[in-house]
Amino acid sequence: MSGDNLYSLTLTRDNANIGILAIQEYLVSLQSERSRKTMVYCLNIAMTAINTTIEEFNWVGLKDSLVAAIVTRLTQDYAPASVNIILVALKSVARRLWAHDVISTRDYELIKKVKGARGSRVHKGRALNDGELNELFEELDSYDSSKAIRDRAIISCLLGCGLRRAEVAELQFDNVHLNEDDPYLTVIGKGNKERKCYIPDETVERLKEWFFIRKDSPGACFSLVDKHDNVLEKKLTPYRIYRITQDWANKINMKRWTPHDLRRTYASNLLGMGVDINTVKNMMGHASITTTQIYDRRGDDSMRKAVHLMNRKAG
């Protein structure tokens, strides 16, 4: 079931629909459309674990024993972090059911106490090393087309400011302040939170090159460039920014990386230079230091170096 389908249902307070009403209320409380889609997906997975659907399940009968059984079954096929997000969704719906007096206070308190899956997995993604970054920008600098100049600026913003690809897509020309003593971007991130991102000198130069071609007109900072190298007004989508990074990686046969890997590289570089983790958290727009720690890929590099040392010892 999609989020749109959930919103379109006409509801009454009978047993068949009260669960959908609770889910709707929970989804409306979330701050972004992406979060809403994620949680609908999570609830669908939970229902699949017990061979039913969101629409068919009798939400009045939601009990702690059933929630615990769902967690146990999902742990066989999903990473602990994924299972625990699904558990958050179920507990949040249970809260709405309790608010409507559909489930008792006792049942709700028991559901809240259901424990999540234990364990962890190696986090996906990586940080690019200096050699890869040098090779990438050497390739980018070998072109002087409007498209290449735009792409250099985009990749430089991802790497030099730690932006998410959606933030790059939504960045407006008026949010870029290059003429200040300390140039910065005004970025609207997750949860509609605004933050200031200071821009390193090299990224400033990349942006100036792009703006010389783009001109100083309002609208999206980064827009489409047609096959004749003409700059258009239509803004780029997050997916298009992903494709841009993949296209340049393919040009030099580089090991696969994503826009978010440049964000990981940004965090790892800052931490590697001794910037305290709370400052890095703020620079990245994270709500929690725990999230920032996930982006730190310095340990991967240290482990690789350790193995190389062992290889020399073993030889």
Side-chain angles (χ1 to χ4, degrees):
M1 173 188 285
S2 69
D4 291 340
N5 289 338
L6 278 173
Y7 293 132
S8 65
L9 290 174
T10 302
L11 302 176
T12 60
R13 283 186 56 86
D14 58 29
N15 288 355
N17 284 328
I18 194 64
I20 304 300
L21 175 61
I23 294 170
Q24 283 182 333
E25 291 178 344
Y26 166 52
L27 295 176
V28 168
S29 72
L30 300 176
Q31 294 182 324
S32 73
E33 184 60 28
R34 182 176 180 181
S35 296
R36 288 188 279 272
K37 289 180 179 179
T38 296
M39 287 312 189
V40 171
Y41 177 71
C42 287
L43 290 170
N44 276 320
I45 292 176
M47 294 299 99
T48 300
I50 52 176
N51 300 313
T52 186
T53 66
I54 289 175
E55 300 95 331
E56 294 172 352
F57 179 63
N58 179 18
W59 290 92
V60 177
L62 188 67
K63 304 288 184 182
D64 62 302
S65 57
L66 183 60
V67 174
I70 290 172
V71 169
T72 299
R73 292 177 190 177
L74 291 178
T75 301
Q76 300 172 15
D77 299 311
Y78 294 89
S82 299
V83 175
N84 292 336
I85 292 173
I86 295 169
L87 179 58
V88 167
L90 288 170
K91 288 182 176 181
S92 298
V93 174
R95 177 177 175 79
R96 297 310 312 164
L97 292 169
W98 169 73
H100 284 287
D101 295 322
V102 175
I103 62 175
S104 68
T105 298
R106 180 178 181 277
D107 282 337
Y108 174 52
E109 290 297 327
L110 289 172
I111 289 171
K112 285 200 301 181
K113 292 179 180 179
V114 173
K115 294 183 178 180
R118 299 180 64 182
S120 62
R121 297 290 185 272
V122 174
H123 295 295
K124 295 180 179 180
R126 67 189 187 95
L128 278 68
N129 60 47
D130 290 343
E132 289 176 310
L133 293 173
N134 290 336
E135 186 178 3
L136 173 61
F137 279 102
E138 282 178 9
E139 180 69 15
L140 284 162
D141 289 338
S142 68
Y143 295 81
D144 60 2
S145 65
S146 297
K147 180 179 180 298
I149 291 170
R150 179 203 65 187
D151 294 354
R152 283 201 296 264
I154 288 172
I155 291 173
S156 195
C157 280
L158 291 165
L159 177 66
C161 300
L163 301 188
R164 303 175 177 94
R165 58 176 170 155
E167 293 171 345
V168 173
E170 293 300 324
L171 189 65
Q172 299 293 301
F173 178 78
D174 291 341
N175 298 143
V176 183
H177 310 278
L178 299 183
N179 297 321
E180 303 293 329
D181 291 338
D182 295 303
Y184 67 92
L185 308 174
T186 303
V187 178
I188 307 297
K190 281 187 175 181
N192 200 31
K193 294 178 181 177
E194 182 176 296
R195 71 181 188 277
K196 181 182 288 188
C197 293
Y198 289 100
I199 315 172
D201 292 343
E202 189 168 347
T203 303
V204 169
E205 294 307 312
R206 305 287 190 189
L207 285 168
K208 286 182 177 179
E209 291 173 357
W210 165 238
F211 289 158
F212 180 78
I213 296 170
R214 179 198 175 279
K215 308 302 180 187
D216 298 345
S217 57
C221 181
F222 297 108
S223 55
L224 289 172
V225 176
D226 68 19
K227 62 182 180 180
H228 302 295
D229 217 33
N230 297 313
V231 177
L232 309 179
E233 292 185 1
K234 187 175 181 180
K235 74 175 185 178
L236 298 177
T237 64
Y239 177 73
R240 184 58 205 153
I241 290 170
Y242 171 82
R243 288 306 321 162
I244 286 169
T245 60
Q246 299 310 289
D247 289 345
W248 286 102
N250 291 336
K251 282 182 184 291
I252 53 178
N253 297 318
M254 183 181 286
K255 179 183 174 183
R256 184 182 180 276
W257 54 274
T258 67
H260 222 70
D261 288 332
L262 294 180
R263 184 165 158 83
R264 294 182 180 97
T265 307
Y266 173 77
S268 295
N269 287 344
L270 288 171
L271 292 167
M273 291 185 291
V275 179
D276 72 273
I277 194 167
N278 190 60
T279 299
V280 177
K281 173 185 80 72
N282 294 334
M283 292 172 74
M284 297 188 73
H286 287 155
S288 167
I289 284 177
T290 303
T291 305
T292 308
Q293 291 172 328
I294 294 172
Y295 282 72
D296 185 2
R297 291 296 186 271
R298 292 174 298 164
D300 295 347
D301 191 45
S302 297
M303 288 187 289
R304 282 193 297 270
K305 290 178 179 177
V307 169
H308 289 316
L309 290 172
M310 288 298 296
N311 287 338
R312 287 197 284 271
K313 289 284 187 181

